[in-house]
Amino acid sequence: MSKSIIGLSALVVALIPLVGWAEELPKDAVPLTASEVRELYSGKSANWSRSRAYFAPDSTFLMHGKDKSWFGEGKWTVNGNEVCGKLKRTSVKDGKSNTGGDCWAWYRVGKKYMTFWSGEKDKKYGYYDSELKKMSAGDKVSRTVAELKKKSGS
């Protein structure tokens, strides 16, 4: 086996935990209601691979990079089975900002919850069931956002 094939195989295996097991949405998947989606997020923090976010009950959306180089402030909304977070993202180093956001569509398949992140490129096989494991009750973000905001001079 050539070194390039071995190297490529090792890279693919190393990336599997980062992307999760994306799959096709089963035909019997049922979209969650807006109130079910709101309940999944309200008052909870997300711990993603490169960032953390807080979905406050008053619709405030806070986020920061795990490397603490940026922070974001905005609002989150629910429309049908989709939650979206829109925010202004600010660099701690130079105070420059831009706007952006992400959305997650939610489905139930039996007792299993599946979601689709708007940043996913594969619109057919981008569904995954690990998002709820990344969520926890309470605000684990606001303090860090306040510290980063002060550091940036914003």
Side-chain angles (χ1 to χ4, degrees):
M1 194 182 287
S2 76
K3 288 183 180 181
S4 62
I5 293 174
I6 293 170
L8 181 59
S9 298
L11 176 64
V12 170
V13 170
L15 289 176
I16 288 172
L18 297 176
V19 296
W21 294 103
E23 56 188 272
E24 190 172 10
L25 186 66
K27 293 187 185 329
D28 60 341
V30 177
L32 268 59
T33 66
S35 62
E36 288 173 314
V37 173
R38 215 172 279 105
E39 188 176 318
L40 291 178
Y41 285 91
S42 186
K44 300 211 176 104
S45 294
N47 186 9
W48 297 310
S49 61
R50 294 181 304 242
S51 62
R52 290 192 172 116
Y54 176 57
F55 298 82
D58 70 355
S59 296
T60 298
F61 182 52
L62 299 173
M63 196 172 187
H64 69 81
K66 285 188 174 178
D67 65 1
K68 298 188 179 165
S69 67
W70 63 271
F71 66 92
E73 300 173 292
K75 295 285 182 188
W76 65 279
T77 58
V78 175
N79 185 12
N81 72 323
E82 187 173 74
V83 63
C84 294
K86 306 283 184 210
L87 51 76
K88 179 173 112 175
R89 182 178 146 156
T90 303
S91 167
V92 173
K93 183 178 180 179
D94 60 18
K96 291 183 181 179
S97 63
N98 59 23
T99 57
D102 285 307
C103 298
W104 299 265
W106 284 88
Y107 300 86
R108 182 177 26 259
V109 181
K111 293 184 178 186
K112 181 172 159 181
Y113 287 85
M114 296 187 76
T115 192
F116 182 86
W117 171 52
S118 62
E120 177 61 51
K121 304 287 186 259
D122 187 337
K123 302 297 182 191
K124 184 175 181 183
Y125 294 102
Y127 295 87
Y128 60 101
D129 64 359
S130 61
E131 186 67 15
L132 288 179
K133 294 174 189 157
K134 300 170 189 172
M135 305 293 289
S136 62
D139 179 359
K140 297 166 180 72
V141 174
S142 293
R143 182 181 304 164
T144 302
V145 167
E147 290 168 3
L148 296 175
K149 188 173 183 176
K150 185 176 180 181
K151 208 178 208 182
S152 74
S154 297

